[in-house]
Amino acid sequence: MEKTQTPLSAKRIYRIKCQGFTAYSDEEITQLAFANRFPMIICLILLGVGVALANIPVLVVLLVVSVLSIVLPYHVFDYLYNHWLRHKMNKPKLHPRSNQLKFACFLATSWTAVNIYLFATGHTTAGYISGAAMFCVPLLLTTTDYCIPSKIYNFLFRIKIQ
């Protein structure tokens, strides 16, 4: 017998729909909620390590992941989820990423490049401040499903989520 998953609150479902998951039912969103956050959790860890240690190579890895996640149909870590982890968790496949989440990766690419520049040029304090501010964005997403870049995208392109 398959274990049923507790439905997400209407607020969480709305927040996930704001990320471009508007074509999904509430049940599908509930099934994909972890899959949606999975790549952001890994990026959050990379960002935290990269900023805390002012480690440019780690930040460069994050930069490459962000760039690839813009040009590929899936986020880089979605491939790991779709081809391995979802089978272990008995979950459905995550579909290609929305424009909202591609926009979020664009912002992450830009911000990561700024952080790399700050650390590389000896502006360590500014790098820590910028990196700490950047860290808050995926932290908010991974803990509450609230995606600031998606909200910005929806505002800029006048996308209404119901």
Side-chain angles (χ1 to χ4, degrees), residues 139-159:
L139 180 64
L140 186 63
L141 174 66
T142 59
T143 57
T144 67
D145 292 308
Y146 189 89
C147 182
I148 294 170
S150 292
K151 289 289 198 174
I152 293 169
Y153 181 92
N154 292 339
F155 173 78
L156 291 174
F157 294 98
R158 294 173 172 41
I159 297 173

Side-chain angles (χ1 to χ4, degrees), residues 1 7 16 24 33 42 47 60-61 69 75-76 95-96 110 112 120 122 127 145 154 161:
M1 176 188 279
I16 294 171
Y24 296 88
I42 298 172
L47 178 63
V60 168
V61 168
S69 297
H75 188 284
V76 169
H95 297 284
S110 304
T112 302
D145 292 308
N154 292 339
I161 307 297

Side-chain angles (χ1 to χ4, degrees), residues 72-144:
L72 296 173
Y74 294 90
H75 188 284
V76 169
F77 297 126
D78 286 344
Y79 292 100
L80 178 62
Y81 173 83
N82 278 337
H83 296 290
W84 178 72
L85 189 58
R86 78 178 181 94
H87 298 292
K88 302 287 185 200
M89 298 175 65
N90 196 26
K91 296 287 184 183
K93 182 177 182 180
L94 188 62
H95 297 284
R97 288 297 177 157
S98 66
N99 290 335
Q100 288 88 335
L101 294 172
K102 298 270 185 193
F103 179 74
C105 288
F106 169 76
L107 293 179
T109 298
S110 304
W111 207 341
T112 302
V114 167
N115 287 326
I116 290 168
Y117 171 80
L118 291 171
F119 287 128
T121 58
H123 296 91
T124 309
T125 302
Y128 285 131
I129 292 169
S130 175
M134 183 181 177
F135 186 83
C136 293
V137 177
L139 180 64
L140 186 63
L141 174 66
T142 59
T143 57
T144 67

